Amino acid sequence: MRKIKKEDIVNTVKKLYMDAVISLPEDVSKCLLETYEKEEGLAKEILNQLIENQKIALQDRVPLCQDTGIAVLFVEWGLEAIYEDGDLMEAFNEGIRLAVKEGYLRASVVDDPVFERKNTKDNTPCIIHFEPVMGDRVKITLAPKGAGSENMSALRMLKPAQGLKGVKDFIIETVKNAGGNPCPPIIVGVGIGGNFEKCAILAKKALLRKVGESNRNPAYAQLEKKLLEEINALNIGPMGIGGKITALAVHIEYAPCHIASLPVAVNIQCHSARHKEAEI
Amino acid sequence: MSRLKTEGIKIKIETPLTDEVIEQLKAGDLVLINGYVYTARDAAHKRLVELINNNTPLPFDLKGQIIYYVGPTPAPPGKAIGSAGPTTSSRMDSYTPLLLSLGIKGMIGKGQRSEEVVKAIKKYKAVYFLATGGAGALLSRHIVSAEEIAFPELGTESIKKLLLKDFPAIVAIDCHGGNIFRE
């Protein structure tokens, strides 16, 4: 058994959050540069600003986007690693709290969604998806998710008879309805199968894949490619003002499901596709 | 296709906005905004409308002013403001026609507006600017000063008076009915 200490969790989470909000993963950054080359006019002007924005964020150590998100964490916990320092969730939240304070991040979380909506002032609690894995390592992936793109996401329980066409239509319809709101060019995370909550988590996980890396199943890879073409033909363009590129990629993750079900979730990610990972 | 302008042609404008300036702006124009604007987003809009309904004085005179839909990150030491890009404007749609009827002349945000807002922009001769979403670090360099003037308890959603210098934006909906999202 390997012991994991509170400070390991706190420091790792703090660093991941502070780093994630000021710099994009290399694959996303590269993809934005390629998009800049393809666009023209106002769309190009917007992409130019996004590329400049990345440089300035690093130089000034100011977040890329004012919406430093709600912190979503995927934690792969090796079952041979043990935590004996009390409340584990509190350790994760302490990391978030420190990042918000020291990194000058925005407090965007309210304590209850309907009545008081009182700001918790430190962006806690974060949202954690735990997965038990073999071994004694703990892998933490932190993705700060802003509301602009999250609000444009959708989930639908399709009938199995609606099949491939139903799946495609729903994904396209969701992107179309979102228009310029989620800050295109977007990455479209799709979860298919599982059940109601499983497909939503798959859709979110799909956003963590390297931009443009295809699904390992050729049929799903083909579907990703076809959907990307159709989405870019919508002419929504950067910030919704028209242009060749509306989405940088479509990533699908799928899982087995019930004979009566065909759940589909579409989680939209803005161009500021921030996420960082570390292993303890 | 949207109306594409040649890169580099940018129109400098100053606040408060006059009818004369607004009439010249066309959807697709690139502008550089200078002068004071006021921040307000979801919670601040709700409060403003409550004050209006109760006939209570407002924290700033609405006439000719621009509202910027933004909830910035806290200012790090030595900076006027943190990251400060636009938030989704449509969430403010239900409040906007009333504010336009009381003198607001411009809004800065991102995304489309409702049919009612488009009509009100035309009726009250106003303009809707699009700023680049997610470009908060870049836009913060065009904000010279920030002063909190109302609702401090709302944190990032409080109303702040910002001084802009060459703040880059695109005219998205003009007073003549031009709309970049539909052209």
Side-chain angles (χ1 to χ4, degrees):
Chain A
M1 282 294 185
R2 189 167 152 262
K3 281 191 181 177
I4 304 289
K5 292 198 183 76
K6 181 176 178 181
E7 62 187 63
D8 296 332
I9 302 275
V10 173
N11 293 338
T12 306
V13 168
K14 179 180 121 180
K15 188 171 180 339
L16 285 175
Y17 200 2
M18 284 174 71
D19 287 349
V21 295
I22 60 166
S23 61
L24 289 181
E26 222 171 282
D27 52 298
V28 179
S29 200
K30 196 169 150 258
C31 201
L32 284 173
L33 273 172
E34 287 164 9
T35 306
Y36 171 80
E37 296 299 333
K38 288 178 198 155
E39 289 290 5
E40 54 190 19
L42 281 179
K44 202 178 186 75
E45 166 73 23
I46 286 172
L47 281 150
N48 184 39
Q49 287 186 23
L50 296 182
I51 290 158
E52 276 298 304
N53 187 61
Q54 290 178 60
K55 292 179 198 156
I56 294 171
L58 274 177
Q59 270 170 21
D60 294 2
R61 287 196 72 80
V62 158
L64 292 154
C65 177
Q66 74 290 341
D67 188 349
T68 48
I70 188 162
V72 182
L73 285 83
F74 285 91
V75 179
E76 290 178 17
W77 193 283
L79 291 171
E80 288 166 46
I82 52 164
Y83 186 76
E84 293 174 328
D85 282 354
D87 186 343
L88 176 60
M89 297 306 279
E90 174 48 29
F92 280 98
N93 281 323
E94 182 62 13
I96 300 294
R97 213 170 273 135
L98 289 174
V100 168
K101 200 171 161 216
E102 292 175 31
Y104 298 91
L105 311 190
R106 194 176 85 180
S108 312
V109 174
V110 290
D111 59 354
D112 91 72
V114 178
F115 297 101
E116 292 294 320
R117 285 190 73 87
K118 211 171 131 210
N119 200 305
T120 62
K121 303 274 173 73
D122 58 12
N123 233 18
T124 65
C126 56
I127 292 171
I128 308 187
H129 303 293
F130 272 101
E131 194 185 326
V133 293
M134 303 292 280
D136 64 0
R137 300 281 143 182
V138 173
K139 186 176 151 197
I140 303 172
T141 306
L142 190 148
K145 191 70 165 71
S149 59
E150 194 74 353
N151 284 352
M152 296 296 119
S153 304
L155 189 150
R156 193 173 288 170
M157 305 303 285
L158 298 178
K159 293 177 182 72
Q162 287 174 276
L164 178 61
K165 188 179 182 300
V167 171
K168 279 176 68 181
D169 287 352
F170 172 58
I171 296 166
I172 301 283
E173 177 195 318
T174 305
V175 172
K176 212 172 167 179
N177 289 343
N181 289 342
C183 291
I186 54 175
I187 296 168
V188 186
V190 180
I192 309 178
N195 64 353
F196 186 77
E197 79 275 8
K198 174 81 178 174
C199 76
I201 292 172
L202 286 173
K204 180 133 282 155
K205 254 190 159 168
L207 298 174
L208 303 174
R209 196 196 298 165
K210 276 208 167 90
V211 181
E213 204 175 84
S214 303
N215 193 297
R216 270 178 290 180
N217 179 324
Y220 284 89
Q222 190 56 35
L223 179 57
E224 288 175 344
K225 201 171 156 234
K226 187 83 190 105
L227 281 165
L228 181 61
E229 280 168 18
E230 286 186 31
I231 286 167
N232 284 334
L234 293 173
N235 190 31
I236 293 169
M239 298 310 300
I241 60 147
K244 295 189 189 91
I245 310 292
T246 298
L248 303 174
V250 177
H251 293 165
I252 301 173
E253 294 292 328
Y254 65 96
C257 71
H258 192 283
I259 47 171
S261 283
L262 177 47
V264 182
V266 180
N267 197 192
I268 297 181
Q269 171 64 60
C270 65
H271 60 77
S272 209
R274 309 158 291 187
H275 53 89
K276 291 268 184 267
E277 58 179 54
E279 208 177 74
I280 299 174
Chain B
M1 275 298 275
S2 49
R3 196 165 81 109
L4 298 178
K5 293 280 277 192
T6 318
E7 271 179 280
I9 299 175
K10 292 174 183 171
I11 306 160
K12 268 200 185 207
I13 55 170
E14 302 236 350
T15 65
L17 293 176
T18 61
D19 283 357
E20 202 186 354
V21 168
I22 290 171
E23 278 169 3
Q24 286 169 14
L25 298 174
K26 302 253 160 49
D29 285 346
L30 274 166
V31 295
L32 298 172
I33 305 170
N34 286 275
Y36 289 106
V37 301
Y38 295 86
T39 73
R41 41 171 291 153
D42 310 63
H45 270 76
K46 192 166 175 248
R47 295 278 191 95
L48 280 177
V49 169
E50 277 164 14
L51 293 179
I52 292 164
N53 290 339
N54 294 329
N55 278 321
T56 313
L58 299 180
F60 67 100
D61 182 9
L62 306 184
K63 294 228 158 46
Q65 302 302 338
I66 293 179
I67 290 182
Y68 182 15
Y69 304 138
V70 59
T73 60
K79 283 208 72 172
I81 200 163
S83 192
T87 195
T88 308
S89 307
S90 58
R91 292 199 313 272
M92 270 52 79
D93 280 353
S94 59
Y95 307 109
T96 300
L98 174 66
L99 294 176
L100 289 172
S101 76
L102 295 173
I104 286 292
K105 282 291 190 180
M107 291 86 61
I108 308 170
K110 70 174 169 93
Q112 303 194 40
R113 308 305 305 259
S114 69
E115 204 47 55
E116 288 71 31
V117 172
V118 175
K119 271 187 207 152
I121 285 172
K122 205 171 170 182
K123 182 174 175 191
Y124 300 109
K125 204 175 277 184
V127 57
Y128 169 54
F129 301 102
L130 192 73
T132 302
L138 176 138
L139 293 170
S140 77
R141 284 202 176 170
H142 296 275
I143 299 169
V144 181
S145 68
E147 182 198 349
E148 193 168 62
I149 60 160
F151 317 138
E153 64 282 8
L154 296 181
T156 186
E157 295 199 77
S158 68
I159 294 187
K160 297 169 194 74
K161 186 179 183 182
L162 307 182
L163 180 59
L164 305 188
K165 186 172 181 355
D166 290 340
F167 184 96
I170 296 166
V171 176
I173 301 171
D174 65 37
C175 69
H176 311 286
N179 186 340
I180 201 171
F181 298 108
R182 286 195 210 132
E183 287 167 19

